[in-house]
Amino acid sequence: MGNRAFKAHNGHYLSAEHDHVKTHHGHHDHHTHFHIENHGSKVALKTHCGKYVSIGDHKQVYLSHHLHGDHSLFHLEHHHGKVSIKGHHHHYISVDHHGHVSTSHQHDHHATFEEIIL
C-alpha cells in the first residue's frame, strides 16, 4: 500500500522514535513515515527503521523488532475522509490533546487521523 503519515486532530503526527510511538508537532519527516504492509484483511505499520507498531496485552502502544502476530496487525477504518487505526482487542490508536499516544476502546476524534499518502 505504500508509505503514509498520520496527522492527529491536534496537528501532531504519529512518530516512531527509538522504541516508542510518540507524536511530532507541526511537520512530518522520516520518523513519521510508516510503510503499510498488507497481511490479508489487516495491515502492519512498519517504521523507517524496520520496527512494527504494536499494541500489547495491557493496551500499550510500542515498537517491536518483529511482527508480533495480532499485536502488530491493524484494520484501517476510513470515516468521512479520515482514518482510524484499529488494533488488537478492538482498541484504537489515539492521541490526546497533549500529543500523548495511547489506545482507546472508544472511537472518537482522538482516534481519527488525516491519512497522508507519501
Side-chain angles (χ1 to χ4, degrees), residues 77-80 82-86 90-94 104-113:
E77 297 181 350
H78 292 87
H79 305 275
H80 309 290
K82 303 283 185 178
V83 67
S84 298
I85 306 167
K86 186 177 182 180
H90 305 286
H91 278 75
Y92 294 92
I93 293 178
S94 67
S104 173
H105 206 280
Q106 304 225 3
H107 181 260
D108 59 16
H109 73 283
H110 294 287
T112 57
F113 299 87

Side-chain angles (χ1 to χ4, degrees), residues 4 6 26 32 45-46 48 64-66 70 77 84 90 105:
R4 304 284 193 276
F6 298 98
T32 63
L45 281 67
K46 191 172 185 179
H48 69 284
S64 170
H65 291 283
H66 307 285
D70 284 340
E77 297 181 350
S84 298
H90 305 286
H105 206 280

Side-chain angles (χ1 to χ4, degrees), residues 46-67:
K46 191 172 185 179
T47 69
H48 69 284
C49 59
K51 296 179 183 176
Y52 290 91
V53 175
S54 302
I55 296 177
D57 288 331
H58 300 289
K59 315 305 181 265
Q60 75 280 16
V61 181
Y62 68 98
L63 294 178
S64 170
H65 291 283
H66 307 285
L67 189 68

Side-chain angles (χ1 to χ4, degrees), residues 1 35-46 51-53 66-76:
M1 288 183 70
H35 181 74
I36 308 300
E37 292 183 353
N38 281 318
H39 291 268
S41 64
K42 297 180 182 180
V43 298
L45 281 67
K46 191 172 185 179
K51 296 179 183 176
Y52 290 91
V53 175
H66 307 285
L67 189 68
H68 278 177
D70 284 340
H71 294 275
S72 303
L73 296 176
F74 299 91
H75 289 283
L76 295 182

